């Protein structure tokens, strides 16, 4: 039976009283720190547009994307994630490969249960930090009803996780 991987989060405030989250991934050897109010889904939580559970699902999906070694910014007009690292690395680590497989499984699950637009919206907002209006401009889709689509997609991520 594979060992269960956990993510621990420590939340602190800096001198300007801005919330910072330090995420320990796996057995605590790798960590990331970020301001807790910088992503679009954090903003949606603070504006009460998504629930706390949906926010946790978005954070989990974001941490999977971080661990799977993809760059979380849109670099090209194709909106394809670009692999991090230099050309000298021989390949992915086992943890990165497992995270990437899990990320692909989650996105396939959401796509199968909801549709491709839901998956595209989820990737745009959670992984690439696009707002709803930026996502609609890049895909040519209307903004109406997209917040409900995001909420439904985050609920599907929660169903995949077993929450």
């Amino acid at each position: 039976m594979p060992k269960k991987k956990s993510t621990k989060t420590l939340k602190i405030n800096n001198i300007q009283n801005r919330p910072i989250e330090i995420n320990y991934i796996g057995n605590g050897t790798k960590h990331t720190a970020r301001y807790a109010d910088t992503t679009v889904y954090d903003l949606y939580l603070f504006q009460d547009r998504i629930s706390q559970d949906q926010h946790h699902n978005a954070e989990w999906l974001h941490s999977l994307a971080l661990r799977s070694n993809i760059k979380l910014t849109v670099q090209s007009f194709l909106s394809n994630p670009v692999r991090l690292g230099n050309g000298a690395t021989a390949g992915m680590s086992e943890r990165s490969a497992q995270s990437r497989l899990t990320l692909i499984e989650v996105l396939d699950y959401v796509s199968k249960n909801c549709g491709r637009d839901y998956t595209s919206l989820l990737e745009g907002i959670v992984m690439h930090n696009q707002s709803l209006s930026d996502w609609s401009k890049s895909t040519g889709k209307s903004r109406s009803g997209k917040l409900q689509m995001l909420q439904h997609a985050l609920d599907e991520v929660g169903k995949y996780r077993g929450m």
Side-chain angles (χ1 to χ4, degrees):
M1 178 180 241
K3 191 166 86 172
K4 183 179 179 184
K5 293 190 171 43
S6 65
T7 302
K8 299 174 191 146
T9 302
L10 174 66
K11 296 181 180 183
I12 58 174
N13 290 343
N14 67 358
I15 295 171
Q16 290 87 15
N17 203 24
R18 191 169 178 195
I20 300 173
E21 288 183 355
I22 301 172
N23 295 315
Y24 295 96
I25 301 169
N27 59 4
T29 58
K30 182 177 180 179
H31 65 276
T32 60
R34 68 175 181 87
Y35 285 105
D37 59 352
T38 55
T39 62
V40 173
Y41 59 87
D42 287 335
L43 178 65
Y44 290 158
L45 175 69
F46 296 143
Q47 293 174 346
D48 289 328
R49 293 182 175 188
I50 61 173
S51 69
Q52 190 73 25
D53 288 337
Q54 291 167 341
H55 183 261
H56 286 305
N57 293 333
E59 283 184 327
W60 179 75
L61 197 63
H62 188 263
S63 69
L64 271 180
L66 280 175
R67 289 183 298 199
S68 65
N69 236 5
I70 59 173
K71 193 175 285 186
L72 299 179
T73 58
V74 178
Q75 290 288 325
S76 69
F77 68 96
L78 298 174
S79 300
N80 291 331
V82 179
R83 184 165 146 44
L84 284 177
N86 54 18
T89 57
M92 291 181 141
S93 68
E94 179 66 25
R95 181 176 291 167
S96 295
Q98 291 296 327
S99 297
R100 179 124 178 143
L101 288 175
T102 305
L103 180 66
I104 290 170
E105 285 177 8
V106 170
L107 294 176
D108 285 344
Y109 179 81
V110 172
S111 180
K112 184 182 75 159
N113 290 338
C114 302
R116 295 186 74 198
D117 288 342
Y118 287 79
T119 306
S120 173
L121 180 65
L122 196 61
E123 287 177 347
I125 290 178
V126 175
M127 290 186 213
H128 303 301
N129 204 26
Q130 292 178 319
S131 66
L132 281 174
S133 61
D134 291 340
W135 180 83
S136 352
K137 286 176 189 173
S138 67
T139 59
K141 307 251 185 230
S142 168
R143 283 181 48 192
S144 62
K146 297 307 183 257
L147 186 60
Q148 289 79 18
M149 284 176 63
L150 175 66
Q151 292 169 343
H152 187 64
L154 289 171
D155 289 337
E156 287 297 320
V157 172
K159 287 178 186 174
Y160 178 85
R161 290 181 67 194
M163 292 184 75

